[in-house]
Amino acid sequence: MRAVIIAVGVAFLISLLCTPIAIKVFTRLKAGQPIRAEGPAMHQGKKGTPTMGGVVFILATVIAYVAGHLALTTLPDAQIAQVEPTITALVLLGLMVFSGAVGFIDDFLKVRKRHSGGLNKRGKLAGQILVGAIFGVVALYFPSTMTDASGAATNTETVGATTLSFIRDIPALEIGKIASVIVIIFVVMAATNGVNLTDGLDGLATGASVMVLAAYALIAFWQYRHWCADPTYTANPNNYCYAVRDPLEIALIAGAAAGACVGFLWWNTSPARIFMGDTGALGLGGLIAGMAMSTRTILLLPIIGGLFVIITMSVVIQIISFRTTGKRVFRMSPLQHHFELAGWSEVNIVVRFWIIAGIGVAIALGLFYSDFLASMG
């Protein structure tokens, strides 16, 4: 727990203190956010606000991960504490960094062209598929090699699973490695686009991501405390354990990312002095997808990230309705812009949508804990 707390604190401080530096640098580089002409008229006043702020909290997360590992070296049981960096960290941080890189290319092109159209849809989609495929393969083809004092294998789990999962793996839904990689690609695409669509108002996506990442930190730490690779816990045959790989790593990274987002939110809340851009939105989406995969809660993700699902569905409904009937269901999509045009203030929309995000997180955590109680019998 100490290592997770240290990672959260380090990430928060780096993000809080370095974001003003990023604001000055991006302002000097004229890396201002272009605003869509067809967007809400009130957004035109945000034109020129520095973008690509996601670079700050992505770097803060990576640095905080290293700091957390330095703290782990002081723990008494090195194997269970997972002192050495793992494939799990490679997958999670890789998804965050490289998904963020796809977003950075998009942001860079927007800034360079001075136009809201950056990387074309096919290019962005190809980048998301490539990142999901690479780290999906790594997640499924590199099992753990943890051993006990006698040299016997104690945990041969992979980061991802070849079964679909809700609160844990569902053995009846075995789909194999190739199909699992395809599922991972889909989850990466869904999560990155979901966060990106939500990033339309000051602080909205950042605050919602904090809640989701904090939930995954709690889930992963709970799995660590009841881990099948921990002989001190599984010595009692009545204890239910979680067959996941490197849960402390997951908790540490989720906590670090949440802390980094809180530090960034200080400057990103209304009126925002910097935007996360596609760099941050896609980076957070990639990490959240990795969290669902590594904690074996893929089918729980739509509940934990309920706000992202609602906002994404508003876009899907709008497109289907307009193409089939020529009529729009909402004044504008994504959903937050509908309420802007209905006269709600930006702050009211953000706070109320945060409440919706919190409800989704609370329901998901309740389901997770209820399953544990039921498993304990």
Side-chain angles (χ1 to χ4, degrees), residues 261-272:
C261 285
V262 172
F264 181 76
L265 184 60
W266 183 274
W267 306 100
N268 180 236
T269 193
S270 184

Side-chain angles (χ1 to χ4, degrees), residues 69 72 75-84 224 227 248-249:
H69 261 273
L72 286 177
L75 295 179
D77 191 332
Q79 280 198 319
I80 298 303
Q82 304 168 274
V83 174
E84 298 297 326
Y224 173 65
W227 190 24
L248 186 58
E249 289 277 82

Side-chain angles (χ1 to χ4, degrees), residues 19 69 124 146 185 201 218 250 307 324 342 346 370:
T19 300
H69 261 273
K124 189 180 292 187
M146 286 183 63
I185 292 172
L201 300 181
L218 289 172
I250 303 169
L307 178 65
T324 56
E346 182 170 359
S370 295

